[in-house]
Every structure is written in structure tokens, then in C-alpha cells.
Amino acid sequence: LSGSFKLSFRGYTTVDISYNASSTEVYNALRQLDPIPYTNGVEVSRVPLANHENMWRITFIANEVGGNVESMQCYDHDMRLYGNGASLEIYSDASETSYERRGSDASMMGNELGGSFTLSMLGHTTEQIDFNAADTQMKARLEALPNIGVVDVTRGSPTPEKGYAWTVTYVSNPGAFPVSSSNMELLTYDVSSLSGANQTANITERRQGYNPLGGTFQLRYTNGSKYRTTSELAHNSDASEIKSALESLDDMVGRVSVEKMINVDGYTWYVTFGPCQIDPVTGNDVCNDGDLY
């Protein structure tokens, strides 16, 4: 046996490789190809065989060539091996027979993610979610849970092993006001239905939610020379409660009407100052002449 051959991968072809090249020589030829990182892109070992045969085992190890990569090729015009029955075979994905590999270890498929997983929030669990679920499927699965409102979901690009990352933003949360408030619990996961080596998931919090609206406030009314302040009012007071609190300032404020509006981020009360009222202590008319703040 004599001569040489070339290997091609993703459109790039090596220099001539001798029929009896060492593992280092094959490695050095492959690391010159653009798709393969120059350092730690592949591992090469030479398998000793009888009858003047040579075998090299090539393992892709870098992320740039991760996953179930396509097979290398040796085109007819790149095989210049001479000798009785001289040929070159490339085995991949465990497709060869034991006889073809002369009893050595079988080739292997690269690692690739598949299957499905579930997510849970405080005891409520989604239906199965595809490993490569579109953002619309992830959104639908999460919003089907009774303790999750509306979410926005974006999916990132796949890794070489077909792993994905989704970014989930809680837009509205059940029982919270404003609807986008509340610091949600982290989701948990079950990846037992995922396929692939070392399958796992990771959930991290990128930004905390903010507290729902709460607490109390007061209104102050002044006519320029003195001021009066209402009692404490709940953050979500009804229009009638605002009206009652203002008209209780009966030595400065006359009649008022109040309309309450609910906004996406809080409340607005519209106060209209109306006619005078009688001060129950002095019997004098009390009219609206001042500023509310």
C-alpha cells in the first residue's frame, strides 16, 4: 500500500495525507481547515490493524463543530492510494458493520438534543414542550397555567447541539395590580423526556418584578392662608371615599363630585368642585376657593 488521500469537510479540503500518516499528521491536516478550530477542534487517534490497513478515529470536540456534524468525505479525485484492492472508507453514525471496522469500536453520532420537557409554577405544570419549541408554543404552554397571566416569549438561536434559550417576560399576573407588577417565583423544570447526552436545563432571573400597588395617601386642600389634610386613604379608594374625605373638610371645601379611572399602571381620580355646603359648626356657607394637591 502506498500513496495519499485528502479529506473534505464543509467545503474545505486538506492537503495530501500519507496512507500511513500518524495521528498527529492527520490532526495537523484537519486543523488547517477553516470550519475546524486550530486548537482543540478535533481529537485523532490511530487504530492499529493487520494486513497493511490503517484506521484513524476522528472525534469533533469544539463547540464550533458540536452536535451531530455531517460526515467527512474523500472524493474520487482526492484518493491516490495504490496497491491491490486499495480503497478508503469513512464510517460515521455507527452505520458500519463490525467486520467493516475490523472489530474496533463503532463510530458514533454527535450529541444532539431531542424530546420534550415541562415547566412548573407553584405546583402547576405545563403540557410537554418540544425541545425546540417556537416562542408561540412556549407562550401558549405557560399561559395555560392558572397562576400565570400573559407572557411575552422570545427564542434565541440554537447551539450546535440544538439547545435553545427562551426569554420570558410576565406582562400581566393574576391578582396583581398594576397587572405587570409582582415578583414571580422562578419556574422549575422536568427534563426527563429530553434525549441526548447530559441533557439539562437552567433557569435564571434576569430582572426582578416590582411590588404591586399598595399603601395609603392623603389629599391636602389650601386656600392660600391655611390648609387642611384628609385622613389616610387606601391606594385603591372608591370615588365615594375620596368624595367623603374631601367634603369632611367642611370648613374649607364645599360639595365635590369624583370619578375614578382605572389605568394600566394605577388609578386616576377626577375631582370636580361644585356648590357650597353649610359648615355644621358655624352655619356659614363653605365654598370651594383653593387648590387641591
Side-chain angles (χ1 to χ4, degrees):
L1 186 65
S2 62
S4 64
F5 60 93
K6 296 179 181 180
L7 295 174
S8 295
F9 181 67
R10 293 180 178 175
Y12 292 84
T13 302
T14 66
V15 297
D16 284 316
I17 300 173
S18 173
Y19 77 97
N20 63 348
S22 67
S23 57
T24 300
E25 289 172 324
V26 175
Y27 171 76
N28 287 333
L30 291 173
R31 71 195 301 211
Q32 302 298 326
L33 301 183
D34 282 359
I36 298 177
Y38 188 77
T39 303
N40 298 324
V42 295
E43 290 179 345
V44 180
S45 60
R46 181 169 168 173
V47 181
L49 298 176
N51 301 322
H52 306 290
E53 292 183 314
N54 298 312
M55 180 181 289
W56 299 268
R57 180 175 296 276
I58 300 170
T59 305
F60 294 91
I61 58 176
N63 286 335
E64 294 87 339
V65 285
N68 190 26
V69 299
E70 58 272 36
S71 298
M72 289 185 174
Q73 294 177 300
C74 180
Y75 297 106
D76 290 343
H77 61 270
D78 289 330
M79 192 188 73
R80 301 183 181 89
L81 295 174
Y82 307 101
N84 187 25
S87 65
L88 184 144
E89 300 292 339
I90 296 177
Y91 303 128
S92 62
D93 299 340
S95 59
E96 74 282 356
T97 65
S98 177
Y99 172 77
E100 287 173 326
R101 64 175 182 266
R102 303 299 188 262
S104 63
D105 292 338
S107 60
M108 298 174 58
M109 293 180 64
N111 188 36
E112 194 170 272
L113 197 63
S116 61
F117 62 98
T118 61
L119 295 172
S120 298
M121 169 71 79
L122 297 175
H124 297 281
T125 300
T126 65
E127 295 181 19
Q128 291 291 326
I129 302 170
D130 294 336
F131 78 97
N132 60 348
D135 46 14
T136 52
Q137 186 190 79
M138 178 67 76
K139 175 181 172 70
R141 292 290 191 270
L142 290 174
E143 290 180 352
L145 299 185
N147 53 352
I148 291 180
V150 178
V151 296
D152 283 340
V153 179
T154 56
R155 190 188 76 173
S157 300
T159 67
E161 297 180 341
K162 295 188 177 180
Y164 289 87
W166 295 266
T167 300
V168 178
T169 302
Y170 294 92
V171 178
S172 70
N173 305 313
F177 188 83
V179 293
S180 60
S181 65
S182 187
N183 192 30
M184 302 294 286
E185 295 289 330
L186 285 181
L187 292 162
T188 57
Y189 55 84
D190 180 353
V191 296
S192 58
S193 294
L194 284 177
S195 60
N198 302 316
Q199 72 273 27
T200 188
N202 184 40
I203 296 177
T204 58
E205 184 178 59
R206 298 182 62 178
R207 185 178 64 187
Q208 285 193 341
Y210 56 92
N211 292 329
L213 188 63
T216 61
F217 66 98
Q218 293 176 283
L219 295 173
R220 176 175 291 183
Y221 185 86
T222 180
N223 61 7
S225 60
K226 62 178 181 178
Y227 67 85
R228 291 283 305 279
T229 302
T230 67
S231 58
E232 296 281 345
L233 294 164
H235 69 280
N236 59 346
S237 292
D238 292 333
S240 61
E241 293 172 310
I242 300 295
K243 172 181 171 66
S244 176
L246 287 173
E247 291 183 350
S248 69
L249 308 179
D250 48 32
D251 62 339
M252 291 185 65
V253 178
R255 298 298 180 189
V256 300
S257 62
V258 180
E259 181 183 4
K260 179 182 178 181
M261 302 293 293
I262 301 176
N263 309 314
V264 296
D265 57 352
Y267 304 99
T268 300
W269 294 268
Y270 294 97
V271 179
T272 302
F273 292 90
C276 302
Q277 68 169 321
I278 297 175
D279 186 332
V281 176
T282 65
N284 297 327
D285 286 340
V286 179
C287 300
N288 297 306
D289 181 19
D291 297 308
L292 179 68
Y293 63 97

